[in-house]
Amino acid sequence: MKRIILGVVLLTSWQLSAQELYMPRNIKKAYENGTRDRSGAPGKNYWQNKGIYNVEVKVDAGSKIVSGKETIVYTNNSPNALNDLAIRFVNNLHKPQAPRSGMVSEDFLTSGLHLKSFVVNGEKYAVNSKDWGTVEKIKLNAALKSKAKAEVKIEWEYPLSVQSGREGQIDPETFYVAYSFPRISVYDDYNGWDMLPHSDRQEFYNDFNDYSFAITAPKNYVVWATGDFLNPDAVLQQEYLKRYKSSLKSDKVIHVANEHEMKSGKVTKQNKWNTWKFKASHITDFCFALSNHYVWDAASVQLKTKRASVQAGYKNGAKDFEHYVEWMQYNLDWFSKKWPGIEYPYNAMTAIQGYADMEYPMMINDTSIPDDFQDARLTADHEIAHTYFPFYMGINETRYAFMDEGWATTLEYLIGIDENGEAKAKEFYQNFRVKRWINDPSTEEDQPIITMSTQVSGAGYGNNSYVKASLSYLALKDYLGDDLFKKALHHYMNNWNGKHPIPWDYFNSMNTGAGKNLNWFFNNWFYTNNYIDLKVTNASQINDLLTVNVENVGGFAVPFDAEIGYEDGTIEKLHFSPAVWEKDQKQMVLTVPIKKKVKSVKFDGGIFMDYTPVDNQKNL
């Protein structure tokens, strides 16, 4: 198929190249203060705060209570003295009075966090957590000065919810323990303290911290966690220790322990309690899971600079999870080499069978889909793609979910082409992603992508975060071509790896990385109520020139194929990139040189599905 970007007569001459993108006042101040730069890079005055967390946590399998104590050494790198500390505990969304997006069962509800003690720099604070939500401020007795450190010690406990979603009891003896410790919320350069409360819809925003975890679990419970597993010799019996260590060098899947072995008491050391130790540095979160009967598979994959451990924990008989280790080996390698083309940044990845279809640093919690391996594998692909967005890039998912979900959806589609073939990948993407949006003309479907994720809900949230954002990235890839798009994407990722980008950092980084002013494109896709709807208003042939008049009813600058049907029965396909809309996104005239008599013209957007495809063709 030919890729055509020329031969376009544009009906207006107004220039969008100098167009400025709307920027909220607080974001403008960040640029004025030099913490962010118009080039897309962090500014000369950029800063972010950091915590070093040393956490001791215990999970009581009988009472289902998670208890712990932690020491946080928190550095205030900001130019401001901090009079408060904002403490975030996401699990409080299980409290009956917490705001949620819909009804929940009684099994979802718990009493939430019980704070036993709170100490700052050796001084005890009287803190009653009974009426806490998911984030609360504690007034400091002495301000934490700029460039100073504070030592915060917290003791706490909370119950695991019976109903498991992103965390909780997967079954009575399997627990996914996430968002499990009080943490210091983000203090950043454009909002100050992040005080947005969490609901069950919203995603997360955390600092890049260092975590050391000592997880005490009952005997016969295996623990999987974020980070490097520091003490396998102390908690595993010899045969299973040998299998685990072999997996760290093995391309083939090793069955570290089956269900019978787990239940028989052969796997872990037979102390009443075992303490499992893990460490992860410069990462945005830490979580873990434990079970006394899950199957444990493991292998590893050789990447360019390291060999990464790949593990899975699942219920015996889960047919899709039996393939998870192989699937994850493949996608870690593929993501590293192809898209985004940056090496998987961590030493491990673990999949746990649960109910969330949710990503965490170095871990995923996925539903079993045993009757549809394509869907099951793409679910794993999607969640592991989140490694790059939001974990490699510290994205504020709470406010701008399209900055990570859109990319995960895009990477899921691109690896799906490789895994399932282009036709099946397109079909899945259309059916599972695009159709629900484009075929629904409801008002909430057409809100601008740039709208804060906290301000949209239901279909509006899902389509902005996943569908339209992904289509924008794929449209930009088509516009720039693969090589330039990857160059610009890497420029953005290199600018903001380990930092906190916001949408304007993405826009500016891509402009600089591509060497083009793409503001016309970003304005078209992110700041409008557009949708996809092209209309062929007229088509005519004069001698060897085909002229096609096109109205962009929906407004999005989309790529499309033109299928030219000739009177001799042959069909020619020409591809047009979004470049055809650069000067005028409302209408254009295509002029195509031809050598035969034309019978018909038909437009096909592929995954860029049209709202009214019936008017996408004309007979001559």
Side-chain angles (χ1 to χ4, degrees):
M1 185 189 301
K2 297 179 182 177
R3 187 173 189 269
I4 303 295
I5 59 173
L6 301 175
V8 180
V9 177
L10 300 162
L11 299 183
T12 65
S13 60
W14 63 288
Q15 299 292 318
L16 284 169
S17 59
Q19 180 177 349
E20 288 292 327
L21 300 176
Y22 162 76
M23 186 182 290
R25 286 171 287 172
N26 61 331
I27 304 298
K28 283 182 179 178
K29 284 186 178 180
Y31 283 88
E32 291 167 2
N33 293 336
T35 55
R36 295 167 194 269
D37 192 84
R38 297 278 180 174
S39 69
K44 62 180 181 180
N45 297 324
Y46 181 79
W47 54 266
Q48 61 192 46
N49 291 351
K50 184 182 180 72
I52 299 174
Y53 285 69
N54 195 315
V55 185
E56 299 175 23
V57 61
K58 182 177 183 180
V59 181
D60 190 317
S63 66
K64 310 299 193 283
I65 295 293
V66 179
S67 59
K69 58 183 179 179
E70 61 190 293
T71 298
I72 310 166
V73 177
Y74 182 72
T75 302
N76 176 20
N77 291 315
S78 83
N80 309 315
L82 302 180
N83 295 310
D84 312 273
L85 288 181
I87 305 299
R88 185 171 294 277
F89 189 70
V90 172
N91 263 297
N92 270 351
L93 65 86
H94 289 277
K95 295 174 74 170
Q97 61 269 45
R100 285 179 287 271
S101 61
M103 291 287 290
V104 295
S105 73
E106 289 188 7
D107 283 345
F108 183 85
L109 302 176
T110 74
S111 57
L113 176 71
H114 172 52
L115 208 59
K116 294 180 175 180
S117 69
F118 192 91
V119 178
V120 180
N121 293 331
E123 189 173 359
K124 292 184 178 181
Y125 283 63
V127 179
N128 184 351
S129 59
K130 181 177 182 294
D131 294 324
W132 272 25
T134 54
V135 59
E136 298 289 340
K137 277 186 180 179
I138 293 178
K139 180 75 174 177
L140 294 174
N141 294 336
L144 178 59
K145 295 180 179 179
S146 174
K147 314 306 178 187
K149 298 178 187 289
E151 183 185 71
V152 181
K153 293 186 175 183
I154 310 173
E155 291 189 47
W156 44 268
E157 67 179 25
Y158 76 97
L160 287 164
S161 61
V162 174
Q163 179 184 324
S164 174
R166 287 171 170 166
E167 36 67 41
Q169 299 179 47
I170 295 173
D171 65 42
E173 295 175 315
T174 304
F175 318 124
Y176 204 95
V177 189
Y179 327 118
S180 62
F181 54 99
R183 71 188 73 204
I184 299 175
S185 192
V186 177
Y187 184 85
D188 61 32
D189 63 315
Y190 58 96
N191 273 318
W193 284 117
D194 177 26
M195 296 301 297
L196 283 175
H198 268 279
S199 76
D200 51 347
R201 163 66 77 175
Q202 291 166 11
E203 306 257 353
F204 307 95
Y205 179 41
N206 297 309
D207 279 321
F208 283 86
N209 299 316
D210 297 342
Y211 294 103
S212 295
F213 262 72
I215 303 161
T216 299
K219 70 177 179 181
N220 300 327
Y221 277 79
V222 167
V223 177
W224 300 271
T226 298
D228 296 326
F229 185 12
L230 301 181
N231 67 333
D233 305 66
V235 293
L236 294 174
Q237 294 196 47
Q238 193 61 38
E239 174 60 28
Y240 305 92
L241 175 66
K242 179 181 176 182
R243 294 181 195 176
Y244 167 73
K245 287 187 173 180
S246 296
S247 77
L248 301 178
K249 300 178 181 179
S250 175
D251 293 324
K252 294 182 179 180
V253 178
I254 291 176
H255 304 294
V256 179
N258 61 34
E259 181 186 38
H260 173 73
E261 290 167 331
M262 290 283 284
K263 288 181 174 179
S264 67
K266 296 178 179 178
V267 179
T268 74
K269 293 289 181 70
Q270 291 301 287
N271 305 309
K272 184 178 181 180
W273 299 91
N274 290 309
T275 299
W276 303 62
K277 296 182 179 180
F278 297 86
K279 185 176 179 63
S281 299
H282 200 61
I283 200 162
T284 58
D285 203 357
F286 185 99
C287 69
F288 62 97
L290 62 161
S291 178
N292 65 0
H293 61 277
Y294 262 27
V295 176
W296 181 7
D297 288 349
S300 54
V301 56
Q302 182 61 54
L303 305 176
K304 185 176 181 180
T305 66
K306 61 178 175 290
R307 181 173 277 274
S309 172
V310 182
Q311 302 177 57
Y314 57 93
K315 294 178 183 178
N316 185 46
K319 296 301 181 184
D320 53 344
F321 266 82
E322 291 173 359
H323 298 275
Y324 251 66
V325 168
E326 293 175 348
W327 291 347
M328 292 191 297
Q329 284 177 299
Y330 188 87
N331 67 29
L332 261 60
D333 181 69
W334 195 93
F335 289 146
S336 297
K337 292 177 179 176
K338 301 292 180 64
W339 294 101
I342 289 176
E343 184 174 354
Y344 178 76
Y346 308 123
N347 294 329
M349 171 54 72
T350 300
I352 299 296
Q353 181 190 348
Y355 298 104
D357 296 338
M358 184 65 192
E359 74 281 358
Y360 314 78
M362 304 186 216
M363 294 189 76
I364 59 175
N365 174 358
D366 279 0
T367 308
S368 178
I369 314 174
D371 55 348
D372 188 341
F373 277 15
Q374 178 182 341
D375 193 359
R377 188 171 187 178
L378 287 173
T379 299
D381 292 338
H382 180 99
E383 305 312 335
I384 292 175
H386 275 300
T387 292
Y388 298 98
F389 311 92
F391 302 136
Y392 186 78
M393 322 279 285
I395 287 161
N396 187 339
E397 292 182 273
T398 311
R399 292 173 182 267
Y400 307 116
F402 60 85
M403 293 185 70
D404 76 299
E405 293 295 357
W407 280 111
T409 301
T410 297
L411 294 173
E412 166 203 309
Y413 170 66
L414 294 174
I415 195 173
I417 293 173
D418 189 77
E419 293 170 351
N420 303 302
E422 187 169 12
K424 284 188 176 181
K426 284 185 174 181
E427 180 183 22
F428 185 91
Y429 188 93
Q430 287 174 320
N431 291 337
F432 188 66
R433 298 297 186 187
V434 187
K435 275 187 178 178
R436 283 181 273 186
W437 163 57
I438 201 61
N439 291 333
D440 182 356
S442 303
T443 305
E444 55 266 34
E445 300 284 9
D446 294 332
Q447 298 171 88
I449 300 174
I450 198 68
T451 307
M452 276 179 53
S453 302
T454 52
Q455 305 305 307
V456 288
S457 60
Y461 176 94
N463 290 322
N464 272 9
S465 301
Y466 295 77
V467 182
K468 289 190 284 183
S470 175
L471 287 170
S472 84
Y473 303 138
L474 291 167
L476 186 58
K477 178 175 177 288
D478 191 283
Y479 171 67
L480 295 176
D482 283 1
D483 291 343
L484 186 56
F485 179 74
K486 183 172 281 189
K487 177 176 179 288
L489 177 59
H490 283 188
H491 184 74
Y492 165 54
M493 295 180 74
N494 291 336
N495 273 346
W496 291 97
N497 164 227
K499 300 180 177 67
H500 292 308
I502 52 179
W504 297 269
D505 301 316
Y506 164 68
F507 302 146
N508 292 329
S509 288
M510 295 299 283
N511 284 343
T512 301
K516 294 176 177 287
N517 192 319
L518 302 168
N519 283 1
W520 75 271
F521 180 91
F522 296 133
N523 182 73
N524 175 273
W525 272 94
F526 286 85
Y527 286 86
T528 68
N529 302 96
N530 288 342
Y531 56 102
I532 303 173
D533 190 4
L534 303 183
K535 181 179 182 180
V536 178
T537 58
N538 190 48
S540 61
Q541 178 182 358
I542 300 177
N543 298 323
D544 293 336
L545 193 66
L546 173 67
T547 302
V548 185
N549 297 77
V550 187
E551 182 181 352
N552 192 348
V553 179
F556 272 146
V558 294
F560 59 91
D561 295 336
E563 298 180 1
I564 302 173
Y566 294 103
E567 286 197 344
D568 63 5
T570 60
I571 295 176
E572 182 180 10
K573 287 188 177 182
L574 303 176
H575 183 73
F576 293 88
S577 90
V580 299
W581 303 109
E582 186 165 351
K583 300 300 189 292
D584 186 344
Q585 285 112 59
K586 293 300 183 184
Q587 54 191 342
M588 67 172 175
V589 177
L590 292 179
T591 56
V592 181
I594 43 93
K595 296 181 179 179
K596 295 185 289 186
K597 184 67 174 175
V598 176
K599 182 180 180 181
S600 64
V601 177
K602 179 181 178 182
F603 284 4
D604 181 7
I607 60 172
F608 295 86
M609 298 178 71
D610 201 281
Y611 177 52
T612 54
V614 68
D615 60 15
N616 287 8
Q617 57 188 354
K618 280 286 182 183
N619 295 324
L620 276 69

